[in-house]
Amino acid sequence: QQQVKQSPQSLIVQKGGISIINCAYENTAFDYFPWYQQFPGKGPALLIAIRPDVSEKKEGRFTISFNKSAKQFSLHIMDSQPGDSATYFCAALFSGGYNKLIFGAGTRLAVHP
Amino acid sequence: DAGITQSPRYKITETGRQVTLMCHQTWSHSYMFWYRQDLGHGLRLIYYSAAADITDKGEVPDGYVVSRSKTENFPLTLESATRSQTSVYFCASSTGTRGVNYGYTFGSGTRLTVV
């Protein structure tokens, strides 16, 4: 019930391609869905986030697509660059109680030149 | 310096020893969190705190103890370290206000190895 399932575990994309990472959840008490980006040796950093009343949010080359009925959301990275190579985590936040974020297992993205 | 700092960055300890990981933030954020990061498991919440002297368990609290006597500090103690606690530990903080881009700010992590 508290899980956020993320796939794939790893992803290799050529420079200029589209990277797609998917997440799914069960608990309808989640009401906020951020994505975090983590470079080696660093802590995760907020990349982009969406609320369930919106179906899509775009910031530069990064887009979140949200399907409330399917309880799924995804991150699309357009024109992927080698500098995008990192681990990406989706997460979900409960609507009540201590602002707890539940994270997916992470996707290690490698963008090859 | 402003921000959230963790210490030490790296720690090797022996099984059975007590270890304390430190976390300090300068923003006066009310919420603080401890996560552990393991391959295949992502980030799992160990403990969190909504304010000084208010703490609660997360997903994987066994073997850990926290305290929060001051808003800016949130130390995590492994009472008797085990090899299964070898991991990278991240501290994070956040405000209580859910704005448009609400999120946590993470520290740089502590890599703990229990031998």
Side-chain angles (χ1 to χ4, degrees):
Chain A
Q1 280 285 322
Q2 291 200 11
Q3 278 187 326
V4 177
K5 296 183 180 180
Q6 182 172 348
S7 63
Q9 189 172 13
S10 62
L11 180 62
I12 299 174
V13 173
Q14 293 298 313
K15 179 182 176 182
I18 302 174
S19 304
I20 302 174
I21 304 171
N22 300 301
C23 287
Y25 64 97
E26 289 295 325
N27 197 326
T28 56
F30 292 134
D31 70 348
Y32 181 77
F33 301 89
W35 285 87
Y36 282 77
Q37 180 187 54
Q38 182 184 31
F39 293 106
K42 303 292 186 182
L46 179 65
L47 182 63
I48 187 173
I50 196 168
R51 298 194 180 276
D53 54 348
V54 176
S55 61
E56 184 175 283
K57 183 175 181 180
K58 183 176 181 180
E59 289 185 1
R61 296 184 294 107
F62 300 90
T63 300
I64 301 178
S65 297
F66 190 86
N67 186 327
K68 188 174 181 178
S69 61
K71 298 179 188 174
Q72 296 175 349
F73 57 110
S74 60
L75 176 69
H76 295 234
I77 306 174
M78 312 300 288
D79 186 26
S80 298
Q81 300 296 312
D84 297 330
S85 298
T87 299
Y88 293 82
F89 293 96
C90 62
L93 185 68
F94 282 101
S95 58
Y98 292 115
N99 290 334
K100 286 190 297 181
L101 272 175
I102 304 300
F103 285 87
T107 296
R108 185 172 293 184
L109 171 66
V111 181
H112 290 179
Chain B
D1 290 339
I4 183 166
T5 54
Q6 292 184 237
S7 61
R9 285 299 309 272
Y10 303 93
K11 176 75 176 178
I12 300 175
T13 192
E14 294 178 340
T15 301
R17 289 195 179 267
Q18 184 179 81
V19 179
T20 297
L21 310 183
M22 304 302 293
C23 180
H24 175 78
Q25 52 108 351
T26 59
W27 296 298
S28 297
H29 283 170
S30 52
Y31 290 88
M32 295 189 75
F33 309 84
W34 274 106
Y35 284 84
R36 59 177 290 173
Q37 182 175 9
D38 304 286
L39 193 62
H41 292 280
L43 292 155
R44 291 182 291 174
L45 182 64
I46 304 171
Y47 269 95
Y48 58 99
S49 169
D53 297 323
I54 300 176
T55 62
D56 205 351
K57 297 177 180 178
E59 302 169 71
V60 289
D62 293 344
Y64 303 95
V65 175
V66 294
S67 62
R68 197 168 175 205
S69 57
K70 294 183 178 180
T71 300
E72 61 267 30
N73 296 323
F74 191 39
L76 175 73
T77 298
L78 288 66
E79 295 182 295
S80 178
T82 65
R83 290 196 178 92
S84 65
Q85 292 177 310
T86 292
S87 185
V88 181
Y89 291 85
F90 286 100
C91 177
S93 70
S94 73
T95 68
T97 304
R98 293 192 180 199
V100 174
N101 285 314
Y102 172 81
Y104 295 178
T105 301
F106 282 86
S108 297
T110 294
R111 182 175 293 275
L112 176 69
T113 303
V114 183
V115 297

